[in-house]
Amino acid sequence: MKSIKAIFAKQAKDMLKSPMALVMFLVFPAVALMMTQLVAKSNDDIPANMFVTMMAAIFAGMGLITAVSDAIAEDIERRSLRFLVIAGVKPYQYLIGAGGFYLLGGTVTSVAFALIGDFTMTETFKFLAIMVSGVAASVLIGATIGIYAKNRQMSTALGMPVAMLVGFTPMVATFNEPIERVAGVLYTQQINVIVNDFSISIYRPLLVIASNIAVLTVLFIIAYKKKGLKG
């Protein structure tokens, strides 16, 4: 428990020291708010929540992957986690400590999106459930890439294509039926489906995302056991 708290506290301190990383949690809802107030509300042809759901999906599906992978790769590159290596921190401890911080930050940002959007109570529940689940999946991808990468440059080289793949595939799927069928296995596609149509049952999308999280957790454990925190 002490190791988890130490990792969580370290991530919080690093975030406060890195304005660019902190901005990532603020810029997406800020853009959604601005576009909603200045564009959506003054144009009857644009759905009221279009920019909220659009920016929320991009945040959950893309923004967090590169942020998490970069933060972990930087720690490994600078060897600032030596005390954890000596302590023999287990994969789940590191994941809960480091990933838990970003999950909390992502949850707070998701709540900000929900407050900006004009949602009913039921829609808000569905929105937050699907967003927080998606954030968890993205954190796992970012953590796995960060552990596997030797440095920040490699983290960016690996993380950006992955983030673009899982982030943009749902957008392409909107215009291509074969891709839409394949994209159904991705958690980002399930986020896209729910935030664009709250009348759909949330149970199947959550089940798909849970399956993604299970697979991603296994991949993180494999990467951690193979590479550790030594790089």
Side-chain angles (χ1 to χ4, degrees), residues 2-21:
K2 289 183 179 179
S3 296
I4 294 174
K5 288 182 178 179
I7 298 167
F8 188 95
K10 182 186 180 305
Q11 293 297 334
K13 291 178 182 178
D14 289 348
M15 178 65 74
L16 293 175
K17 293 177 183 178
S18 177
M20 289 304 296

Side-chain angles (χ1 to χ4, degrees), residues 141-181:
I141 294 178
T144 302
I145 293 172
I147 288 290
Y148 188 80
K150 294 180 180 179
N151 48 52
R152 293 182 68 186
Q153 288 73 22
M154 184 175 179
S155 170
T156 301
L158 293 173
M160 188 59 69
V162 173
M164 293 181 67
L165 175 65
V166 300
F168 283 113
T169 296
M171 300 181 191
V172 177
T174 303
F175 307 99
N176 189 298
E177 188 174 340
I179 292 180
E180 183 179 9
R181 288 196 293 269

Side-chain angles (χ1 to χ4, degrees), residues 137 140 184-188 207-217:
L140 281 164
V185 300
L186 294 176
Y187 70 96
T188 46
L207 182 61
V208 173
I209 296 177
S211 299
N212 277 228
I213 289 174
V215 172
L216 292 170
T217 299

Side-chain angles (χ1 to χ4, degrees), residues 12 23-24 26 44 50 64 68 80 87-88 127 138 150-152 178:
V23 163
M24 192 271 298
L26 304 175
D44 294 334
M50 186 181 80
L64 279 173
V68 175
S80 57
F127 177 81
S138 287
K150 294 180 180 179
N151 48 52
R152 293 182 68 186

Side-chain angles (χ1 to χ4, degrees), residues 182-205:
V182 176
V185 300
L186 294 176
Y187 70 96
T188 46
Q189 174 67 4
Q190 302 306 318
I191 294 174
N192 191 59
V193 166
I194 291 298
V195 299
N196 285 294
D197 187 358
F198 286 110
S199 66
I200 296 175
S201 172
I202 197 174
Y203 297 111
R204 184 181 180 280

